[in-house]
Coordinates of all heavy atoms in Angstrom, one line a residue:
G16 N 22.8 -1.8 21.7 CA 22.4 -2.6 22.8 C 22.9 -4.1 22.6 O 23.7 -4.4 21.7
D17 N 22.3 -4.9 23.5 CA 22.7 -6.4 23.3 C 21.8 -7.1 22.4 O 22.0 -8.3 22.1 CB 22.5 -7.0 24.8 CG 23.5 -6.4 25.7 OD1 24.6 -6.0 25.3 OD2 23.2 -6.4 27.0
E18 N 20.7 -6.5 21.9 CA 19.8 -7.2 21.0 C 20.4 -7.1 19.6 O 21.1 -6.2 19.2 CB 18.4 -6.5 21.0 CG 17.7 -6.6 22.3 CD 16.4 -5.9 22.2 OE1 15.8 -5.7 21.2 OE2 16.0 -5.4 23.4
G19 N 20.1 -8.3 18.8 CA 20.6 -8.3 17.4 C 19.7 -7.4 16.5 O 18.6 -7.0 16.9
C20 N 20.3 -7.2 15.3 CA 19.6 -6.2 14.3 C 18.4 -7.2 13.7 O 18.5 -8.4 13.7 CB 20.6 -5.9 13.3 SG 21.8 -4.7 13.9
V21 N 17.4 -6.4 13.3 CA 16.3 -7.1 12.5 C 16.2 -6.4 11.2 O 16.6 -5.3 11.0 CB 15.0 -6.9 13.3 CG1 15.1 -7.8 14.6 CG2 14.6 -5.6 13.6
H22 N 15.7 -7.2 10.3 CA 15.5 -6.6 8.9 C 14.3 -5.6 8.9 O 13.3 -5.7 9.7 CB 15.1 -7.8 7.9 CG 16.3 -8.7 7.7 ND1 17.3 -8.3 6.8 CD2 16.6 -9.9 8.1 CE1 18.1 -9.3 6.8 NE2 17.7 -10.2 7.6
C23 N 14.3 -4.6 8.0 CA 13.3 -3.7 7.9 C 12.1 -4.3 7.2 O 12.2 -5.3 6.5 CB 13.7 -2.5 6.9 SG 14.9 -1.4 7.7
P24 N 10.9 -3.9 7.5 CA 9.7 -4.5 7.0 C 9.7 -4.2 5.4 O 10.4 -3.4 4.9 CB 8.5 -3.7 7.6 CG 9.1 -3.1 8.9 CD 10.5 -2.8 8.5
I25 N 8.8 -4.9 4.8 CA 8.8 -4.8 3.3 C 8.5 -3.4 2.8 O 7.8 -2.6 3.5 CB 7.6 -5.7 2.8 CG1 7.8 -7.1 3.1 CG2 7.3 -5.4 1.3 CD1 6.7 -8.1 2.7
N26 N 9.2 -3.0 1.8 CA 9.1 -1.6 1.2 C 9.6 -0.5 2.1 O 9.1 0.6 2.0 CB 7.6 -1.3 0.7 CG 7.1 -2.3 -0.3 OD1 7.9 -2.7 -1.2 ND2 6.0 -2.7 -0.1
S27 N 10.5 -0.8 2.9 CA 11.1 0.2 3.8 C 12.6 0.0 3.9 O 13.1 -1.1 3.4 CB 10.5 0.2 5.2 OG 10.9 -1.0 5.8
R28 N 13.4 1.0 4.3 CA 14.8 0.9 4.4 C 15.4 1.7 5.5 O 14.6 2.6 6.1 CB 15.4 1.3 3.1 CG 15.1 2.7 2.8 CD 15.7 3.2 1.5 NE 15.3 4.6 1.1 CZ 15.7 5.6 1.7 NH1 16.6 5.7 2.6 NH2 15.3 6.8 1.3
T29 N 16.6 1.5 5.9 CA 17.2 2.4 6.9 C 18.0 3.5 6.2 O 18.3 3.4 5.0 CB 18.2 1.6 7.9 OG1 19.2 1.1 6.9 CG2 17.5 0.5 8.6
T30 N 18.1 4.6 7.0 CA 19.0 5.6 6.4 C 20.4 5.5 6.7 O 21.2 6.2 6.2 CB 18.4 7.0 6.9 OG1 18.4 7.0 8.3 CG2 17.0 7.2 6.4
S31 N 20.7 4.7 7.8 CA 22.2 4.5 8.1 C 22.3 3.2 8.8 O 21.2 2.6 9.4 CB 22.6 5.6 9.1 OG 21.9 5.6 10.2
E32 N 23.5 2.6 8.9 CA 23.8 1.3 9.5 C 23.4 1.5 11.1 O 23.8 2.5 11.7 CB 25.2 0.9 9.3 CG 25.5 -0.5 9.9 CD 26.9 -1.0 9.4 OE1 27.4 -0.5 8.4 OE2 27.4 -1.7 10.3
G33 N 22.8 0.5 11.6 CA 22.4 0.6 13.0 C 21.3 1.5 13.4 O 21.1 1.8 14.6
A34 N 20.5 1.9 12.4 CA 19.4 2.8 12.6 C 18.3 2.1 13.6 O 18.2 0.9 13.6 CB 18.7 3.2 11.3
T35 N 17.6 2.9 14.3 CA 16.6 2.3 15.2 C 15.2 2.3 14.6 O 14.3 1.7 15.1 CB 16.6 3.3 16.4 OG1 16.1 4.6 16.1 CG2 17.8 3.2 17.2
N36 N 15.1 2.8 13.3 CA 13.8 2.6 12.6 C 14.0 2.6 11.1 O 15.1 2.9 10.7 CB 12.7 3.7 13.1 CG 13.2 5.1 12.6 OD1 14.3 5.3 12.2 ND2 12.4 6.0 12.9
C37 N 12.9 2.2 10.4 CA 13.1 2.1 9.0 C 12.1 3.0 8.3 O 10.9 3.1 8.8 CB 12.7 0.7 8.5 SG 13.8 -0.6 9.3
V38 N 12.5 3.7 7.3 CA 11.6 4.7 6.6 C 11.1 4.1 5.3 O 11.7 3.2 4.7 CB 12.3 6.0 6.2 CG1 12.7 6.7 7.5 CG2 13.5 5.8 5.5
C39 N 9.9 4.4 4.8 CA 9.3 3.9 3.7 C 10.0 4.3 2.4 O 10.6 5.4 2.3 CB 7.9 4.3 3.5 SG 6.8 3.6 4.9
R40 N 10.1 3.4 1.5 CA 10.7 3.7 0.2 C 9.9 4.7 -0.5 O 8.7 4.9 -0.2 CB 11.0 2.5 -0.6 CG 11.9 1.5 -0.1 CD 12.1 0.3 -1.0 NE 13.0 -0.7 -0.4 CZ 14.3 -0.7 -0.4 NH1 14.9 0.3 -1.0 NH2 15.0 -1.6 0.1
N41 N 10.4 5.5 -1.6 CA 9.6 6.4 -2.3 C 8.4 5.7 -3.0 O 8.5 4.6 -3.5 CB 10.5 6.9 -3.5 CG 11.6 8.0 -3.0 OD1 11.4 8.5 -1.9 ND2 12.6 8.1 -3.8
G42 N 7.2 6.3 -2.8 CA 6.0 5.8 -3.4 C 5.2 4.9 -2.4 O 4.2 4.4 -2.7
Y43 N 5.8 4.5 -1.2 CA 5.2 3.7 -0.2 C 5.0 4.5 1.0 O 5.7 5.5 1.4 CB 6.1 2.5 0.1 CG 6.2 1.6 -1.2 CD1 7.1 1.8 -2.2 CD2 5.3 0.5 -1.2 CE1 7.1 1.0 -3.2 CE2 5.3 -0.3 -2.3 CZ 6.2 -0.1 -3.3 OH 6.2 -1.0 -4.4
Y44 N 3.9 4.1 1.8 CA 3.6 4.9 3.0 C 3.2 4.0 4.2 O 2.9 2.9 4.0 CB 2.4 5.8 2.6 CG 2.7 6.6 1.4 CD1 2.2 6.1 0.1 CD2 3.3 7.7 1.4 CE1 2.5 6.8 -1.0 CE2 3.6 8.5 0.2 CZ 3.1 7.9 -0.9 OH 3.4 8.6 -2.2
R45 N 3.3 4.6 5.3 CA 2.8 4.0 6.6 C 1.9 5.1 7.2 O 2.4 6.2 7.4 CB 4.0 3.6 7.4 CG 3.7 2.8 8.6 CD 5.0 2.5 9.4 NE 5.9 1.5 8.7 CZ 7.2 1.9 8.6 NH1 7.7 2.9 9.0 NH2 7.9 1.0 8.0
A46 N 0.8 4.7 7.8 CA -0.1 5.7 8.5 C 0.6 6.2 9.7 O 1.4 5.4 10.4 CB -1.4 5.1 8.7
D47 N 0.3 7.4 10.2 CA 0.9 7.9 11.4 C 0.7 6.9 12.6 O 1.6 6.9 13.5 CB 0.3 9.3 11.8 CG 0.8 10.2 10.7 OD1 1.8 10.1 10.1 OD2 0.1 11.3 10.6
A48 N -0.5 6.3 12.7 CA -0.8 5.4 13.8 C -0.2 4.0 13.6 O -0.2 3.2 14.6 CB -2.3 5.3 14.0
D49 N 0.3 3.6 12.5 CA 0.9 2.3 12.3 C 2.3 2.2 13.0 O 3.0 3.1 13.2 CB 1.2 2.1 10.8 CG 0.0 1.9 10.0 OD1 -1.1 1.7 10.6 OD2 0.1 2.0 8.8
P50 N 2.5 1.0 13.6 CA 3.8 0.8 14.3 C 4.9 0.8 13.3 O 4.7 0.5 12.0 CB 3.6 -0.5 15.0 CG 2.5 -1.2 14.3 CD 1.6 -0.2 13.7
M51 N 6.1 1.1 13.7 CA 7.2 1.2 12.8 C 7.7 -0.2 12.3 O 8.4 -0.2 11.2 CB 8.5 1.8 13.6 CG 8.3 3.2 13.9 SD 7.9 4.3 12.5 CE 9.5 4.3 11.7
D52 N 7.2 -1.3 12.8 CA 7.5 -2.6 12.2 C 6.6 -3.1 11.3 O 6.6 -4.2 10.7 CB 7.7 -3.6 13.4 CG 6.5 -3.8 14.2 OD1 5.6 -3.0 14.1 OD2 6.5 -4.8 15.0
M53 N 5.5 -2.2 11.0 CA 4.6 -2.6 10.0 C 5.1 -2.3 8.6 O 5.7 -1.3 8.3 CB 3.3 -1.8 10.2 CG 2.1 -2.1 9.1 SD 0.6 -1.3 9.5 CE -0.1 -2.5 10.6
P54 N 4.9 -3.2 7.6 CA 5.3 -2.9 6.2 C 4.7 -1.6 5.6 O 3.6 -1.3 6.0 CB 4.8 -4.1 5.4 CG 4.6 -5.2 6.4 CD 4.2 -4.4 7.6
C55 N 5.4 -1.0 4.7 CA 4.9 0.2 4.1 C 4.1 -0.3 2.8 O 4.4 -1.4 2.2 CB 6.0 1.1 3.6 SG 7.0 1.6 4.9
T56 N 3.0 0.4 2.5 CA 2.1 0.1 1.4 C 2.0 1.2 0.4 O 2.5 2.3 0.7 CB 0.7 -0.4 1.9 OG1 0.2 0.6 2.6 CG2 0.8 -1.6 2.7
T57 N 1.4 0.9 -0.8 CA 1.2 2.1 -1.8 C -0.3 2.0 -2.1 O -1.0 1.1 -1.6 CB 2.1 1.9 -2.9 OG1 2.0 3.0 -3.7 CG2 1.8 0.7 -3.7
I58 N -0.7 2.9 -2.9 CA -2.1 2.9 -3.4 C -2.4 1.7 -4.3 O -1.5 1.3 -5.1 CB -2.5 4.2 -4.1 CG1 -1.6 4.5 -5.3 CG2 -2.3 5.4 -3.1 CD1 -2.0 5.7 -6.2
P59 N -3.6 1.2 -4.3 CA -3.8 0.1 -5.2 C -3.9 0.5 -6.6 O -4.0 1.7 -7.1 CB -5.3 -0.4 -4.7 CG -5.9 0.8 -4.1 CD -4.8 1.6 -3.5
S60 N -3.8 -0.5 -7.6 CA -3.8 -0.1 -8.9 C -5.4 0.0 -9.3 O -6.2 -0.1 -8.4 CB -3.3 -1.4 -9.8 OG -4.1 -2.6 -9.4
A61 N -5.7 0.5 -10.5 CA -7.0 0.7 -10.9 C -7.9 -0.5 -10.8 O -7.4 -1.6 -11.1 CB -7.1 1.3 -12.3
P62 N -9.3 -0.4 -10.6 CA -10.1 -1.6 -10.7 C -10.0 -2.1 -12.2 O -9.8 -1.4 -13.1 CB -11.5 -1.0 -10.4 CG -11.4 0.5 -10.4 CD -10.0 0.9 -10.3
Q63 N -10.4 -3.3 -12.3 CA -10.4 -4.1 -13.5 C -11.8 -4.4 -14.0 O -12.7 -4.4 -13.2 CB -9.7 -5.4 -13.3 CG -8.2 -5.2 -12.9 CD -7.5 -6.6 -12.9 OE1 -7.4 -7.2 -13.9 NE2 -7.1 -7.0 -11.7
A64 N -11.9 -4.6 -15.3 CA -13.1 -4.9 -16.0 C -14.4 -4.0 -15.5 O -15.4 -4.5 -15.2 CB -13.5 -6.3 -15.7
V65 N -14.1 -2.7 -15.7 CA -15.2 -1.8 -15.4 C -16.4 -1.8 -16.4 O -16.0 -1.7 -17.6 CB -14.6 -0.4 -15.3 CG1 -15.7 0.7 -15.0 CG2 -13.6 -0.3 -14.1
I66 N -17.6 -2.0 -16.0 CA -18.7 -2.0 -16.9 C -19.7 -1.0 -16.4 O -20.1 -1.0 -15.2 CB -19.4 -3.5 -16.9 CG1 -18.3 -4.5 -17.3 CG2 -20.7 -3.5 -17.7 CD1 -18.8 -5.9 -17.0
S67 N -20.3 -0.3 -17.3 CA -21.4 0.7 -16.9 C -22.6 0.3 -17.7 O -22.6 -0.2 -18.8 CB -20.9 2.1 -17.3 OG -20.7 2.2 -18.7
S68 N -23.7 0.6 -17.0 CA -25.0 0.3 -17.6 C -26.0 1.4 -17.2 O -26.1 1.7 -16.0 CB -25.6 -1.1 -16.9 OG -26.9 -1.3 -17.4
V69 N -26.5 2.0 -18.4 CA -27.3 3.2 -18.1 C -28.7 2.9 -18.6 O -29.0 2.3 -19.6 CB -26.8 4.5 -19.0 CG1 -27.7 5.6 -18.9 CG2 -25.3 4.7 -18.5
N70 N -29.8 3.4 -17.8 CA -31.1 3.3 -18.2 C -31.8 4.8 -18.0 O -30.9 5.6 -17.8 CB -32.0 2.2 -17.5 CG -32.1 2.5 -16.0 OD1 -32.0 3.6 -15.6 ND2 -32.3 1.5 -15.3
E71 N -33.0 4.9 -18.1 CA -33.6 6.3 -18.0 C -33.5 7.0 -16.8 O -33.5 8.2 -16.8 CB -35.2 6.1 -18.4 CG -35.6 5.5 -19.7 CD -35.6 4.0 -19.7 OE1 -35.6 3.4 -18.7 OE2 -35.2 3.5 -20.8
T72 N -33.2 6.3 -15.7 CA -33.2 6.9 -14.4 C -31.9 6.6 -13.5 O -31.7 7.3 -12.5 CB -34.4 6.5 -13.4 OG1 -34.3 5.0 -13.3 CG2 -35.7 6.9 -14.1
S73 N -31.0 5.8 -14.0 CA -29.9 5.4 -13.2 C -28.7 4.9 -14.0 O -28.8 4.6 -15.3 CB -30.3 4.3 -12.2 OG -30.7 3.2 -12.8
L74 N -27.6 4.9 -13.3 CA -26.4 4.4 -13.9 C -25.8 3.3 -13.0 O -25.7 3.6 -11.7 CB -25.3 5.6 -14.0 CG -23.8 5.2 -14.2 CD1 -23.7 4.6 -15.6 CD2 -23.0 6.3 -14.0
M75 N -25.4 2.2 -13.5 CA -24.9 1.2 -12.5 C -23.5 0.9 -13.0 O -23.2 0.6 -14.2 CB -25.8 -0.1 -12.7 CG -25.3 -1.2 -11.7 SD -26.5 -2.5 -11.4 CE -26.5 -3.4 -12.9
L76 N -22.6 0.8 -12.0 CA -21.1 0.4 -12.4 C -20.8 -0.8 -11.7 O -21.2 -1.1 -10.5 CB -20.2 1.6 -11.7 CG -20.3 2.9 -12.5 CD1 -19.4 3.9 -11.6 CD2 -19.9 2.9 -13.9
E77 N -20.1 -1.6 -12.4 CA -19.5 -2.9 -11.8 C -18.1 -2.9 -12.2 O -17.6 -2.5 -13.2 CB -20.3 -4.1 -12.4 CG -21.8 -4.1 -12.2 CD -22.4 -5.4 -12.8 OE1 -21.8 -6.5 -12.7 OE2 -23.5 -5.2 -13.3
W78 N -17.3 -3.6 -11.3 CA -15.8 -3.7 -11.6 C -15.3 -4.9 -10.7 O -15.9 -5.4 -9.8 CB -15.1 -2.5 -11.2 CG -15.2 -2.0 -9.9 CD1 -14.4 -2.4 -8.9 CD2 -16.1 -1.1 -9.2 NE1 -14.7 -1.9 -7.6 CE2 -15.8 -1.1 -7.9 CE3 -17.2 -0.4 -9.8 CZ2 -16.5 -0.2 -7.0 CZ3 -17.9 0.4 -8.8 CH2 -17.6 0.4 -7.5
S79 N -14.2 -5.4 -11.2 CA -13.4 -6.5 -10.5 C -12.4 -5.7 -9.6 O -11.9 -4.6 -9.9 CB -12.8 -7.3 -11.4 OG -13.7 -8.1 -12.2
P80 N -11.9 -6.4 -8.5 CA -11.0 -5.8 -7.7 C -9.6 -5.4 -8.5 O -9.3 -6.0 -9.5 CB -10.6 -6.9 -6.6 CG -11.8 -7.8 -6.7 CD -12.2 -7.8 -8.1
P81 N -8.9 -4.5 -8.0 CA -7.6 -4.1 -8.5 C -6.6 -5.3 -8.6 O -6.7 -6.2 -7.7 CB -7.0 -3.0 -7.7 CG -8.0 -2.7 -6.8 CD -9.2 -3.7 -6.8
R82 N -5.8 -5.3 -9.5 CA -4.7 -6.4 -9.6 C -3.8 -6.3 -8.4 O -3.3 -7.3 -7.8 CB -4.0 -6.3 -10.9 CG -3.0 -7.4 -11.2 CD -2.4 -7.4 -12.5 NE -3.4 -6.9 -13.5 CZ -3.0 -6.1 -14.5 NH1 -1.9 -6.0 -14.9 NH2 -4.0 -5.7 -15.3
D83 N -3.3 -5.0 -8.1 CA -2.4 -4.9 -7.0 C -3.2 -4.2 -5.9 O -3.6 -3.0 -6.0 CB -1.3 -4.0 -7.4 CG -0.2 -3.8 -6.3 OD1 -0.2 -4.5 -5.3 OD2 0.6 -2.9 -6.5
L84 N -3.4 -4.9 -4.7 CA -4.2 -4.3 -3.6 C -3.3 -3.5 -2.7 O -3.7 -2.7 -1.9 CB -4.8 -5.4 -2.7 CG -5.9 -6.2 -3.4 CD1 -6.4 -7.3 -2.6 CD2 -7.0 -5.3 -3.9

């Protein structure tokens, strides 16, 4: 068409020159309801600094957010 090409969103690529959409790279995903111009994401890394505390009746877990969201 008359419109110029645009770059693929982060973590995606085209399968051929002049493609009309971009597919996610291996290990990255886009939800079915996400628009095709949305970046692809992957699962987060494990939580950091996990601490457990046990008493007679309960277990409490605390952690810091993952390094890679």
Side-chain angles (χ1 to χ4, degrees):
D17 295 332
E18 296 179 28
C20 293
V21 296
H22 291 281
C23 285
I25 295 172
N26 300 319
S27 66
R28 61 181 175 77
T29 60
T30 55
S31 63
E32 188 173 328
T35 57
N36 62 354
C37 301
V38 295
C39 294
R40 295 183 184 276
N41 289 338
Y43 291 87
Y44 309 93
R45 191 183 291 129
D47 291 338
D49 289 346
M51 293 303 289
D52 60 349
M53 180 175 270
C55 299
T56 58
T57 191
I58 60 172
S60 59
Q63 299 182 64
V65 177
I66 300 170
S67 62
S68 175
V69 179
N70 66 26
E71 297 82 24
T72 61
S73 63
L74 165 68
M75 184 162 70
L76 292 174
E77 297 179 46
W78 62 87
S79 297
R82 188 172 324 152
D83 182 16
L84 297 176

